[in-house]
Amino acid sequence: MTPVQSPRRSLLTVDARTRRRNAAETRFRAYGIIAVSLAMLALAVLLYSVFSNGISAFRQTFIVMDITLDSAALDPTGQRDPAAMAKVTTIGYGKQIEAALVHALEAKGISSAEISAKDVSALISKESPAQLRNIVLANPALLGSTIHFRGYANARIDGYFKGRVSMESAVRDSNISPAQLQLADKMRATGLMEVGFNWGFLTGPDASELRPEAAGLGVAILGSLYMMLIVLVLALPIGVAASIYLEEFAPQNRWTDLIEVNIANLAAVPSIVFGILGLALFINFAGLPQSAPVVGALVLTLITLPRIIIPARASLKSVPPSIRDAALAVGASKMQTVLHHVLPLAMPGILTGLIIGLAQALGETAPLLLIGMVAFVRDFPAAPPEGFFDPASALPVQVYNWTQRADPAFAERASGAIIVLLVFLLVINSVAIVLRRRFERRW
Amino acid sequence: MNTMQKVENALADSEIKIGARGVQVYYGTNHALKDVDVDIADKTVTAFIGPSGCGKSTFLRCLNRMNDTIVGCRVEGQITLDGEDIYAPTVDPVQLRARVGMVFQKPNPFPKSIFENVAYGPRIHGLARGRAELDEIVEKSLRRAALWDEVKDRLTAPGTGLSGGQQQRLCIARAIATAPEVLLMDEPASALDPIATAQIEELIDELRSAFSVVIVTHSMQQAARVSQKTAFFHLGSLVEFGETGQIFTNPQDPRTESYITGRIG
């Protein structure tokens, strides 16, 4: 082909070919921006819906009043013997609270004549008598004195102040009447009711279907924490050791290939399958207790291991071979080469994989349902290590649990629990970033 | 071999540091190195020249058993260091490599401080008792590598932050810090500019007083400048081995002559 002598073209005008290329580039950039915007939008919608529903779970309506503890009713024997006092059930304490509330209303000059005494006491959570009973049993010397009591208000009252319950909905609601809501308004105006931060949501145990106002995440947070501890302690050394062996020491043969394929497959196995494995292996065969964090953690470790090993191997592989050569050439052994030179360089990648694995394990729900962590647990697990074998719940399971319940107050709590879960994930990821930076700063 | 060389070899017999007899190297089924016999004398610079893929780097890596790390690589024949077979089953390559140091084509300092780079070898071999002795070894090694004056004020700075030539001299300092007897250099100056190359070559000449140096190079001028003995490899065989001057001025083998004059390669 003879070269075609093209006429001299000006640099100041763009030819058709260049224009087409530039247009393609612009289009591609637009697709990218659209994709990123869609992702951001989805994230914004998610965060908005979770936060708008859930943030109110951290605030709660309380009834604040003075209660004079009647020693005749609460300690019939008069011996201040905790065993004898424990015979007085919450019904006895409920009467004390009712009486105190009526007294407080009178003192503030609020007329409750048009409402029955039963409806007045319904403003208070059914949890309050138990709360009062615990206070008294913990300190019998309080009997006979007047104490300042701050108890949960009923969830409907709480919903009224949060805008979930209105006068119109109360007309159709058998659990609450407009008259009760008006009374609540007056109580709030006179300081008998207040809305404040609800520590109980973070520290308290779950509560029954009938008292959503008292339901808390304490047991679930503790259970998740225990599980993460065990997963970290098991998965980090096993995962790192396995990756180092496979990457640096294992002979290249069919067995190694088989193991490699299986690890990749395990990472893709649905987590519920691991739940069935855990049920069969740890509970039915090994006889470990149901609902226990230790079983949950063992299952989560199995799920997490391949998710740790794969990125750990990738980051070991990405260490340049020249570093290995350099160490071997000065007479370092294989082990010294790996521990002194390869591992430190691979550490940021290994840590990132580990933390992402942990974060995924923290949000894992399905396998925990199968090993019984979905049970209704009100007792806090003991301190470790015994506590690892006590029944507990877990954060994502608690979310699942609450979304199953009928009372709309639980919907708010479920969103609140999601916020707590997200905050935990954020903390874990921040730790990952900080650790990464620290390791990377060493070059 | 010509008669002159035989006489020369007989005279130098007492000083032979590394002896290779009938060395064969296979990568899987590929016969990469065929029947190599070489005697490397002590306190001499021996250059390996030859076209790419001729097996000179492979042979170099046999001398400190770095080929052990390559999957599927098999070495046959006998290589001795001071008369001891380095491929004997009782030899731990780790001990061997402390005595036969190596510098690679691309500078590969550890991503650690300059001090740590040099101190690593003495530390893992337990050559220094206490910090003062270690400091001394590091300074001595850096001085011998002609790097001390440039880095003495920033020993804690990362070794990877040095220039290419400095990095290569750091690698040389690292290699000589373990007090090896032989120093293997695999195209040590091929990634460097002419000034850094000149520094390295000068350094090699000085190192000859203490070590036996084996250098692989693509540059015939470099081989002529720094070495006393030259071996020419071609297609996996050792074609000719002798005094550098003789190889370059009066090659015995037509293939050597063709390569030196630029007709093959």
Side-chain angles (χ1 to χ4, degrees):
Chain A
M1 221 168 83
T2 49
V4 182
Q5 196 68 39
S6 58
R8 184 190 289 273
R9 283 172 305 192
S10 165
L11 270 179
L12 300 176
T13 56
V14 179
D15 63 18
R17 193 181 164 75
T18 311
R19 206 175 299 125
R20 274 202 307 281
R21 282 195 301 203
N22 289 350
E25 196 176 312
T26 312
R27 271 200 308 279
F28 183 78
R29 213 176 288 182
Y31 297 149
I33 291 173
I34 289 170
V36 171
S37 312
L38 279 177
M40 298 297 283
L41 186 73
L43 181 67
V45 169
L46 169 81
L47 288 181
Y48 174 76
S49 85
V50 167
F51 275 83
S52 63
N53 285 322
I55 206 80
S56 58
F58 296 91
R59 296 175 63 73
Q60 194 72 32
T61 311
F62 296 94
I63 290 182
V64 192
M65 60 189 175
D66 291 329
I67 296 181
T68 306
L69 298 166
D70 180 1
S71 33
L74 300 181
D75 185 18
T77 61
Q79 300 296 312
R80 298 290 187 272
D81 172 19
M85 284 167 65
K87 286 191 179 132
V88 180
T89 62
T90 50
I91 297 172
Y93 286 91
K95 283 180 186 146
Q96 295 282 309
I97 291 177
E98 269 173 48
L101 181 58
V102 170
H103 184 74
L105 287 174
E106 276 168 13
K108 296 281 184 189
I110 301 169
S111 154
S112 56
E114 67 269 32
I115 312 178
S116 69
K118 187 163 163 278
D119 281 355
V120 172
S121 64
L123 297 181
I124 305 169
S125 165
K126 293 185 176 63
E127 187 71 15
S128 290
Q131 213 183 331
L132 183 63
R133 183 168 177 266
N134 288 342
I135 293 172
V136 172
L137 290 183
N139 186 5
L142 289 174
L143 279 183
S145 65
T146 300
I147 64 164
H148 189 70
F149 181 74
R150 190 169 185 261
Y152 293 117
N154 181 292
R156 287 296 194 288
I157 304 295
D158 181 49
Y160 175 58
F161 289 129
K162 288 173 181 169
R164 195 171 59 230
V165 175
S166 64
M167 288 292 177
E168 294 78 54
S169 74
V171 175
R172 285 174 271 116
D173 193 339
S174 60
N175 290 318
I176 198 87
S177 68
Q180 282 173 307
L181 294 182
Q182 280 157 5
L183 181 59
D185 269 337
K186 286 180 202 158
M187 286 173 70
R188 192 174 181 190
T190 53
L192 278 175
M193 268 188 195
E194 62 178 34
V195 179
F197 189 81
N198 183 15
W199 282 109
F201 180 63
L202 292 175
T203 58
D206 192 10
S208 77
E209 198 82 52
L210 295 173
R211 28 187 105 155
E213 63 276 359
L217 285 170
V219 176
I221 291 177
L222 206 58
S224 278
L225 200 71
Y226 281 6
M227 287 199 292
M228 286 306 108
L229 265 179
I230 304 177
V231 171
L232 181 69
V233 165
L234 290 179
L236 178 64
I238 297 177
V240 172
S243 351
I244 290 180
Y245 176 74
L246 287 173
E247 201 53 49
E248 304 283 339
F249 292 97
Q252 294 291 316
N253 58 24
R254 213 178 291 170
W255 283 110
T256 316
D257 289 347
L258 192 71
I259 290 170
E260 200 165 317
V261 168
N262 275 302
I263 288 174
N265 281 338
L266 278 180
V269 167
S271 56
I272 196 151
V273 176
F274 283 97
I276 294 174
L277 173 74
L279 178 64
L281 192 64
F282 299 126
I283 296 180
N284 292 343
F285 178 71
L288 288 169
Q290 286 182 23
S291 315
V294 67
V295 179
L298 287 172
V299 173
L300 291 181
T301 304
L302 292 181
I303 298 173
T304 311
L305 270 176
R307 293 176 182 172
I308 292 178
I309 290 175
I310 291 172
R313 288 191 63 180
S315 70
L316 284 171
K317 199 178 289 216
S318 71
V319 174
S322 66
I323 296 293
R324 293 185 179 84
D325 280 349
L328 290 173
V330 295
S333 67
K334 187 85 190 157
M335 196 72 207
Q336 285 171 327
T337 304
V338 171
L339 289 185
H340 297 167
H341 301 288
V342 179
L343 195 57
L345 287 175
M347 217 53 202
I350 293 178
L351 279 180
T352 309
L354 172 78
I355 303 251
I356 290 174
L358 276 187
Q360 283 180 331
L362 179 66
E364 206 61 79
T365 323
L368 301 183
L369 301 181
L370 284 177
I371 56 148
M373 289 200 88
V374 73
F376 178 73
V377 182
R378 259 191 74 76
D379 295 321
F380 280 89
E386 297 85 24
F388 292 149
F389 295 89
D390 291 342
S393 187
L395 272 174
V397 177
Q398 195 69 70
V399 173
Y400 167 79
N401 232 334
W402 283 347
T403 52
Q404 302 293 301
R405 297 191 189 169
D407 196 307
F410 278 113
E412 166 202 273
R413 305 229 147 212
S415 291
I418 291 173
I419 294 175
V420 173
L421 190 58
L422 289 180
V423 168
F424 272 41
L425 290 178
L426 212 65
V427 169
I428 290 181
N429 285 342
S430 313
V431 169
I433 292 169
V434 169
L435 282 178
R436 233 187 123 101
R437 286 273 160 79
R438 275 190 64 115
F439 273 99
E440 273 175 353
R441 202 170 299 157
R442 294 175 53 192
W443 335 100
Chain B
M1 278 190 204
N2 66 340
T3 43
M4 261 191 58
Q5 206 180 323
K6 272 180 188 155
V7 173
E8 150 101 31
N9 279 353
L11 283 175
D13 252 355
S14 56
E15 292 175 34
I16 287 172
K17 194 70 195 170
I18 293 181
R21 289 291 173 273
V23 175
Q24 322 277 342
V25 179
Y26 302 86
Y27 291 120
T29 54
N30 176 22
H31 196 173
L33 207 58
K34 293 157 201 153
D35 217 13
V36 173
D37 294 352
V38 166
D39 284 324
I40 290 162
D42 202 8
K43 306 216 188 320
T44 322
V45 179
T46 307
F48 291 172
I49 59 170
S52 293
C54 67
K56 55 195 189 302
S57 288
T58 296
F59 183 62
L60 190 76
R61 290 170 67 94
C62 288
L63 301 182
N64 68 344
R65 291 185 60 174
M66 282 298 280
N67 279 337
D68 290 15
T69 61
I70 297 171
V71 176
C73 178
R74 206 167 79 247
V75 179
E76 286 169 9
Q78 196 190 38
I79 301 177
T80 55
L81 175 68
D82 286 341
E84 292 171 332
D85 184 3
I86 64 170
Y87 281 90
T90 50
V91 171
D92 188 337
V94 166
Q95 268 179 322
L96 170 71
R97 289 179 200 138
R99 289 172 61 186
V100 183
M102 187 161 190
V103 176
F104 296 86
Q105 179 175 7
K106 222 179 110 217
N108 56 353
F110 298 131
K112 296 177 189 292
S113 71
I114 293 169
F115 182 89
E116 282 302 316
N117 262 284
V118 183
Y120 182 69
R123 199 174 271 157
I124 57 172
H125 294 298
L127 298 182
R129 278 187 308 271
R131 175 76 191 197
E133 231 171 287
L134 192 62
D135 285 346
E136 199 181 310
I137 292 178
V138 170
E139 182 179 340
K140 210 177 94 198
S141 307
L142 285 170
R143 273 189 196 285
R144 291 192 95 153
L147 190 61
W148 175 254
D149 290 332
E150 290 161 62
V151 300
K152 64 182 175 203
D153 301 324
R154 46 175 176 146
L155 289 176
T156 53
T160 43
L162 296 173
S163 76
Q166 289 174 323
Q167 286 191 15
Q168 194 60 299
R169 276 180 282 152
L170 178 63
C171 292
I172 293 174
R174 179 177 68 192
I176 60 185
T178 55
E181 297 150 31
V182 182
L183 197 56
L184 309 177
M185 296 179 144
D186 192 355
E187 299 179 43
S190 68
L192 305 179
D193 67 25
I195 297 170
T197 303
Q199 285 172 324
I200 299 281
E201 286 177 5
E202 206 174 307
L203 184 56
I204 292 170
D205 202 46
E206 278 162 30
L207 293 175
R208 179 160 70 95
S209 61
F211 311 102
S212 166
V213 179
V214 184
I215 176 171
V216 164
T217 177
H218 266 133
S219 154
M220 280 172 284
Q221 290 86 343
Q222 186 171 61
R225 279 194 300 265
V226 300
S227 71
Q228 287 78 52
K229 295 268 199 141
T230 297
F232 171 62
F233 286 79
H234 186 60
L235 299 175
S237 309
L238 177 66
V239 174
E240 194 166 349
F241 177 52
E243 294 291 319
T244 301
Q246 175 252 312
I247 292 271
F248 280 96
T249 54
N250 183 23
Q252 304 296 304
D253 194 289
R255 287 171 291 177
T256 315
E257 192 184 356
S258 309
Y259 182 70
I260 288 168
T261 52
R263 282 205 295 273
I264 61 166

